[in-house]
Amino acid sequence: MFSKIRKTINDGKKFLITSHIDPDGDALGSVFSLFWAMKSLGKDPLVYLKDQVPYRYDFLPRPPDMVHQLPQDVYDAVFVLDCGSLFRIGDGYEQVKSMGTIVCIDHHETNEAFGTINLVERSASSTAEILYGLYKSMKIAFTENVAVNIYTAVFTDTGSLRYDNTSPKAFAICKEMVEAGVRPSYVAQMVYETHPKERYLLLGEVLGTLQTFDNGRISMAHVTDEMFRRTGTNREHTDGFSEYIREIRGVEAAVFIRQVSERRYKISMRAKGKVDVARICSTFGGGGHKNASGCTIDGDLKEVEAQLKKAFSFA
Ligand code: 5GP
Ligand code: MN
């Protein structure tokens, strides 16, 4: 399974490593861990991420020279991690196709196998779990830089070891990373307890929009540009909001709607195993996992809400 990728790394020197826009813990932990793993092999990796690192992930050991502008260069291989579709890496994604062999390592249900080499394990808790196996097979040491990134990726993509994808393997990897020196309380504090007060002012406004329908099976809430302006916040502060409204008793799917521009909304869905939100998001051109997915819908808020309610009535 890993042999082609092992060979690609061993035979090459210069690599580009990237992941999706709005990077989450798995995207960042995967990309950063691969950077440090390649460094330990004497390689020359470069990390490109379209977006900045969200404040809650500032503590992750990151490459000192990461770039946010797609470099105009060629590589022995371009590693695209935690992306179901290539366009998720952001503007200029088509250029990447001519920059080198594309290695796609991912765990999304809706992965499109866009790589030259594809390592897609849909049953893996996280992309970092797949990388952990690769590192083991290459005898790469779990130094602090690698271990903190792997731990955080697995921990956050399993919703703090709570979601359906929390497997014995996810626990085993976390255990091994803790044995390698990761402090779970430190990671949890950094990820979940470093919010500015403004985030809670925004949360209050968002919860004010909460509605449920279909006998309480579906919860829905939204954030608008105006709410961001009023509370001095931005999209970074909404991370985790879809999980809040999923916690409601009886809710089987939570839908969080975030305004992106005047007539464009980004949708985040979370489920508890009964509703396949990846399928619902794919009807809008999005995707993800059965229990956590996303898509973008154009229109005004009322139209977007109506389209979503319609999509769920067939779920
Ligand atoms: P989130 O709601 O946290 O942004 O995303 C949940 C999951 O769905 C993540 O695994 C993310 O990669 C995936 N996802 C979010 N938005 C999109 C999208 O527009 N298209 C696809 N294919 N996947 C998405
Ligand atoms: Mn992931």
Side-chain angles (χ1 to χ4, degrees):
M1 201 58 182
F2 297 129
S3 59
K4 268 192 193 160
I5 296 178
R6 259 199 319 257
K7 187 169 162 36
T8 304
I9 296 175
N10 286 331
D11 292 354
K13 171 105 178 134
K14 199 174 150 190
F15 301 103
L16 186 68
I17 310 172
T18 188
S19 187
H20 56 81
I21 52 170
D22 290 342
D24 58 12
D26 191 24
L28 295 167
S30 292
V31 163
F32 294 171
S33 75
L34 184 59
F35 172 86
W36 293 116
M38 284 180 170
K39 275 284 192 199
S40 75
L41 296 171
K43 304 294 175 182
D44 182 15
L46 177 69
V47 167
Y48 161 69
L49 288 173
K50 168 116 194 322
D51 293 329
Q52 300 292 324
V53 176
Y55 64 84
R56 62 171 64 195
Y57 295 117
D58 258 347
F59 74 101
L60 290 175
R62 70 167 87 180
D65 49 2
M66 168 170 55
V67 296
H68 300 286
Q69 194 97 36
L70 191 64
Q72 305 295 317
D73 207 347
V74 287
Y75 297 88
D76 293 316
V78 179
F79 283 74
V80 182
L81 310 180
D82 200 42
C83 288
S85 313
L86 186 58
F87 81 86
R88 294 266 298 147
I89 70 171
D91 301 342
Y93 68 92
E94 272 169 329
Q95 280 165 257
V96 165
K97 291 180 196 161
S98 52
M99 289 168 77
T101 303
I102 295 190
V103 181
C104 160
I105 304 178
D106 185 38
H107 69 129
H108 286 92
E109 213 77 56
T110 51
N111 184 283
E112 292 166 358
F114 54 80
T116 322
I117 301 172
N118 298 285
L119 176 55
V120 180
E121 284 180 29
R122 291 179 170 77
S123 60
S125 64
S126 49
T127 298
E129 176 177 320
I130 307 170
L131 287 170
Y132 163 88
L134 177 70
Y135 302 161
K136 276 271 171 189
S137 83
M138 297 181 80
K139 306 214 162 21
I140 286 167
F142 290 96
T143 56
E144 188 185 338
N145 283 347
V146 176
V148 172
N149 280 302
I150 290 285
Y151 177 90
T152 304
V154 175
F155 187 66
T156 56
D157 241 31
T158 55
S160 321
L161 299 169
R162 288 185 307 157
Y163 297 163
D164 263 4
N165 58 349
T166 310
S167 59
K169 183 129 183 236
F171 274 104
I173 295 171
C174 286
K175 171 180 183 278
E176 194 178 327
M177 295 308 111
V178 172
E179 282 165 353
V182 174
R183 284 185 297 132
S185 63
Y186 170 73
V187 173
Q189 256 178 47
M190 290 298 117
V191 176
Y192 299 117
E193 300 172 14
T194 52
H195 302 302
K197 184 184 82 186
E198 287 73 19
R199 178 182 189 255
Y200 294 89
L201 301 178
L202 181 68
L203 179 60
E205 294 219 7
V206 166
L207 293 180
T209 72
L210 176 66
Q211 45 176 332
T212 58
F213 57 96
D214 206 5
N215 290 320
R217 279 177 58 240
I218 316 292
S219 59
M220 199 181 265
H222 65 258
V223 62
T224 59
D225 281 344
E226 202 197 322
M227 287 154 73
F228 282 132
R229 265 198 304 276
R230 252 199 318 265
T231 53
T233 52
N234 58 54
R235 67 153 192 253
E236 256 191 72
H237 300 99
T238 66
D239 204 31
F241 284 10
S242 48
E243 281 88 5
Y244 273 112
I245 61 170
R246 174 191 181 269
E247 290 172 5
I248 300 163
R249 181 172 37 182
V251 163
E252 289 171 10
V255 182
F256 178 61
I257 306 169
R258 169 170 61 83
Q259 186 166 28
V260 178
S261 59
E262 202 187 331
R263 286 179 56 81
R264 174 160 289 185
Y265 292 84
K266 175 79 201 177
I267 318 298
S268 267
M269 295 194 195
R270 296 291 184 274
K272 291 176 181 162
K274 288 189 180 151
V275 179
D276 181 354
V277 290
R279 202 176 57 75
I280 294 177
C281 284
S282 65
T283 67
F284 295 106
H289 309 285
K290 200 170 166 286
N291 285 323
S293 286
C295 60
T296 301
I297 307 180
D298 289 338
D300 67 32
L301 183 59
K302 285 277 163 281
E303 288 162 8
V304 170
E305 284 181 346
Q307 284 198 52
L308 285 163
K309 287 177 191 175
K310 197 168 158 215
F312 272 101
S313 65
F314 299 109

